[in-house]
Amino acid sequence: MTGRARTIHLAVVALLATMAVGSVLMIVAGASPLHAWGQLLRQTLGERQGFGQVLFRATPLVFTGLAVAVPLRAGLFNIGGEGQLTAAALACAVVAAALPPGLPAPLAVLIATAVAFLAGAVVGAATGAMRIYRGAHEVIVAIGLNAIIAGVALWLGNRSLFVGESTRTATIPAAAQLPELGLAGSSASVSALGALGVAALVAWLLARTRVGFTWRMTGQGLDAARAAGLPVDRARVWAMTVAGGLAGLAGAHFVLGHKHAYEDGLGRGVGFLGIAVALLAQGQAMAIIGAALVFGVLGQGGLAISSDVPKEMVDVLQAVVVLVAAASLGRRKR
Amino acid sequence: MSGFVASLITLGFLAQVLRIAIPYVLAALGGTLSERAGVIDLALEAKLLMGAFAAAVLGYETGSIAIGIAGAAAAGVAVAAIQAFWSVRLGADQVVTGIALNLGAFGFTRYLLGVRYGQGANSPRFDGVGTGVLTNPISWIAAALVALVVVGLGQTRLGLRVRAVGERPDAVAAAGVSVARVRWLAVLIGGALAGVGGAQLSLPVDGFVAEASGGRGYVALAAVIMSGWRPGRAALWCLAFGLADAVQYRMQTHGVGLPAELTRLLPYVLALVLLAAWPRRVAPPRALGQPD
């Protein structure tokens, strides 16, 4: 199969499997699948407020999806989105709250976003370096770092950063806050547009630049790429570094565009969900936007029908998508 | 401080170390089996979680600890069956398959709690096996299984075949033995072991709590890798992780050293430092991650 045919094939199989498993889970929970799917779609795509919430949910998934797609291209697996997001969100909130008053809004947003990218990138770089230079499996390292970062963030918060008895840092100044899109009171903010821009930028990076070429060659055959004289090791650490930064942008989205502070547990699960998004999109940067919208609909719709079906149904469906993608990924390698 | 140190040289502390180490040990034994057969076992987390869930729910519903433990093994086997079908039959990417199963188990256990008990946080409490070690049947099962896996993998014909399909599947196939069948068997047995390990996460605390596995499956896999894929050494590494965990609990209760948010991280820090610094003299099974 050609690349495009394979992408469509995977998407169709994944959606059919999702619908089948979802329907079974609905029946087991005592709900009528026809009614439940209808409600799920109506309350997400059928009304402005619901669709705004879908956009709000899809925005960070674009970032964490890209954070999985970039290393995947270079043959590495980034399951550290959770920790990268957390580190970035905390750094972003702390720096933004400390910005001098009177700073013009674009500059404040730019600085806070850059801090988030850098904080995520540092975590990504550490994971990549452990893998490349110490031979430690990147999945185990990333899971360990996820736990360590969550614990350290909570400790820092409780020790000095959280305000009063809350588990929330100080509110960032208005200049650093991203305006909402104004979709019927939904939480969708301007960061949705930022996600589109970043996806386009990553698509260009992967397809048209030297480093993108090196990543692709590395992912297709490590030894061949090394024999061809490509800087394989450095490129792979860079792939994890950029990935960490991209996941960090999801943290900036939550802090600057929604909560206007760091809260304990902010964005939990979004890093993992990025894996399903990236795999459904077969690692294609622009297709990630569509995949993120699918999971935005599922997540928001799952909430809409949660009185009939436990909302964790969506987590199971996410796993179904990843399983379908795993089968496709394995076959492609042979 | 002296109270803290004194509390470490007691039989109670030793029992605590063993109790905490059991899930790690059984998961690592299961992981060793499937990885020696050539199948990457990133699904240990799912097997522990499903095992913990099945043990608590079946134990509560039937009132039988034995059925709870058997159910835990069956739950581990069920996860392993999906893993084996994907890895051995479909030739799927084994890392991604394992991660999918882990994510799915997190959602599935909470979904089932919601459907059955109306909330996704925990199962109803019941009389489990208690916190004692010698009175807990899982302790004895674990001790027997360590010996069984060490001898079985090293000294028996089936063990030889498992090791062979992980190193030279082509040679095994040429000798007329089905590579797929040996791999299926190793992964399924491994799943049963990890599932029973999961029972230790719920039966001693009288119920299942969502996300009870808490990353232990990944730490257990780290132990497998550091052991050079040798079951006895993997079990010893798991005891070390159990020791780290037990020490941090004692530090918390005695208010010694670092704050609780940080001491909790001790096993993870230990795993990362060891993965980075421990010299690896043993290469992984040559066919690890390769479908046929």
Side-chain angles (χ1 to χ4, degrees):
Chain A
M1 269 190 275
T2 64
R4 184 177 296 267
R6 195 165 44 221
T7 305
I8 294 170
H9 179 246
L10 171 83
V12 170
V13 174
L15 286 180
L16 286 179
T18 303
M19 278 166 63
V21 174
S23 298
V24 170
L25 295 179
M26 287 167 177
I27 292 169
V28 170
S32 143
L34 212 59
H35 176 76
W37 282 117
Q39 279 297 102
L40 189 149
L41 291 177
R42 208 169 16 254
Q43 297 199 25
T44 49
L45 301 176
E47 51 177 70
R48 273 172 71 86
Q49 205 260 345
F51 185 67
Q53 287 303 114
V54 169
L55 286 185
F56 167 68
R57 283 173 172 272
T59 301
L61 294 180
V62 170
F63 293 125
T64 53
L66 292 170
V68 175
V70 168
L72 200 61
R73 196 59 74 94
L76 290 172
F77 202 84
N78 181 22
I79 193 173
E82 295 284 307
Q84 292 149 11
L85 190 161
T86 300
L90 184 62
C92 176
V94 169
V95 170
L99 286 175
L103 207 63
L107 194 60
V109 168
L110 198 69
I111 292 174
T113 308
V115 166
F117 188 92
L118 282 177
V122 168
V123 178
T127 314
M130 284 280 283
R131 171 73 172 84
I132 305 303
Y133 299 118
R134 302 302 313 167
H137 199 296
E138 77 266 24
V139 170
I140 299 177
V141 171
I143 292 286
L145 283 178
N146 284 348
I148 290 171
I149 289 167
V152 170
L154 184 61
W155 171 68
L156 284 173
N158 284 336
R159 203 180 116 90
S160 53
L161 299 177
F162 290 155
V163 178
E165 290 298 294
S166 75
T167 54
R168 182 188 156 94
T169 61
T171 304
I172 61 174
Q177 298 179 9
L178 290 172
E180 290 185 348
L181 281 179
L183 268 170
S186 74
S187 309
S189 78
V190 171
S191 56
L193 303 176
L196 292 181
V198 170
L201 195 67
V202 171
W204 171 79
L205 192 70
L206 289 176
R208 299 258 177 266
T209 65
R210 186 187 294 258
V211 67
F213 174 78
T214 308
W215 285 338
R216 200 161 62 238
M217 289 298 115
T218 308
Q220 282 172 3
L222 195 59
D223 296 333
R226 189 172 279 134
L230 290 170
V232 169
D233 288 347
R234 209 171 26 167
R236 296 216 291 170
V237 176
W238 268 114
M240 286 302 275
T241 308
V242 170
L246 289 167
L249 293 181
H253 152 82
F254 283 113
V255 171
L256 307 180
H258 183 49
K259 292 286 185 184
H260 303 147
Y262 173 84
E263 290 177 3
D264 184 41
L266 187 68
R268 191 164 287 165
V270 168
F272 286 133
L273 201 45
I275 296 167
V277 169
L279 291 174
L280 179 59
Q282 298 261 292
Q284 305 293 321
M286 295 314 278
I288 279 175
I289 295 168
L293 283 170
V294 168
F295 279 100
V297 167
L298 282 176
Q300 182 62 24
L303 277 188
I305 60 166
S306 61
S307 56
D308 297 326
V309 185
K311 64 178 190 302
E312 287 81 11
M313 175 189 78
V314 175
D315 299 328
V316 180
L317 298 184
Q318 154 194 353
V320 169
V321 170
V322 180
L323 266 183
V324 172
S328 156
L329 209 61
R331 269 203 295 277
R332 188 168 46 161
K333 277 185 186 161
R334 280 189 287 169
Chain B
M1 187 73 195
S2 65
F4 163 68
V5 174
S7 84
L8 296 184
I9 19 184
T10 58
L11 277 177
F13 179 71
L14 181 65
Q16 192 180 13
V17 171
L18 292 174
R19 187 171 72 239
I20 294 171
I22 286 171
Y24 290 116
V25 169
L26 287 173
L29 288 179
T32 304
L33 280 182
S34 84
E35 295 229 327
R36 282 305 281 266
V39 177
I40 298 175
D41 204 351
L42 265 170
L44 288 176
E45 186 78 2
K47 294 166 190 170
L48 282 176
L49 192 64
M50 291 297 292
F53 175 83
V57 168
L58 288 173
Y60 167 75
E61 300 281 351
T62 67
S64 159
I65 298 298
I67 292 179
I69 295 175
V77 170
V79 175
I82 303 177
Q83 184 187 20
F85 186 79
W86 248 252
S87 305
V88 180
R89 179 69 190 276
L90 298 182
D93 184 296
Q94 295 173 6
V95 170
V96 179
T97 301
I99 285 163
L101 290 170
N102 295 345
L103 294 175
F106 272 94
F108 192 53
T109 47
R110 301 186 78 135
Y111 161 86
L112 287 176
L113 286 177
V115 168
R116 179 77 190 169
Y117 305 114
Q119 46 84 14
N122 48 265
S123 71
R125 295 178 64 83
F126 70 108
D127 276 336
V129 296
T131 52
V133 169
L134 298 180
T135 51
N136 178 353
I138 305 171
S139 310
W140 300 100
I141 296 173
L145 286 174
V146 172
L148 210 62
V149 172
V150 168
V151 174
L153 192 61
Q155 312 291 333
T156 67
R157 204 160 76 136
L158 180 62
L160 177 66
R161 284 185 177 172
V162 167
R163 287 180 282 133
V165 295
E167 295 287 342
R168 291 287 305 273
D170 49 343
V172 175
V177 176
S178 161
V179 172
R181 190 176 298 171
V182 177
R183 285 192 171 151
W184 266 94
L185 202 59
V187 173
L188 291 183
I189 295 173
L193 299 188
V196 174
Q200 176 73 2
L201 295 173
S202 60
L203 291 182
V205 291
D206 302 339
F208 173 80
V209 184
E211 303 176 21
S213 49
R216 288 179 180 81
Y218 295 98
V219 173
L221 187 59
V224 172
I225 293 169
M226 290 179 325
S227 75
W229 290 265
R230 288 171 287 194
R233 291 176 191 228
L236 286 179
W237 275 117
C238 289
L239 282 178
F241 286 123
L243 180 70
D245 237 352
V247 167
Q248 66 92 359
Y249 281 124
R250 293 283 160 126
M251 284 168 81
Q252 279 186 43
T253 44
H254 288 267
V256 171
L258 302 165
E261 298 98 327
L262 297 183
T263 51
R264 259 204 309 262
L265 307 174
L266 208 56
Y268 292 106
V269 175
L270 186 65
L272 286 193
V273 169
L274 287 172
L275 276 178
W278 193 254
R280 262 175 296 278
R281 291 185 219 93
V282 183
R286 207 180 316 172
L288 187 62
Q290 308 293 323
D292 296 328

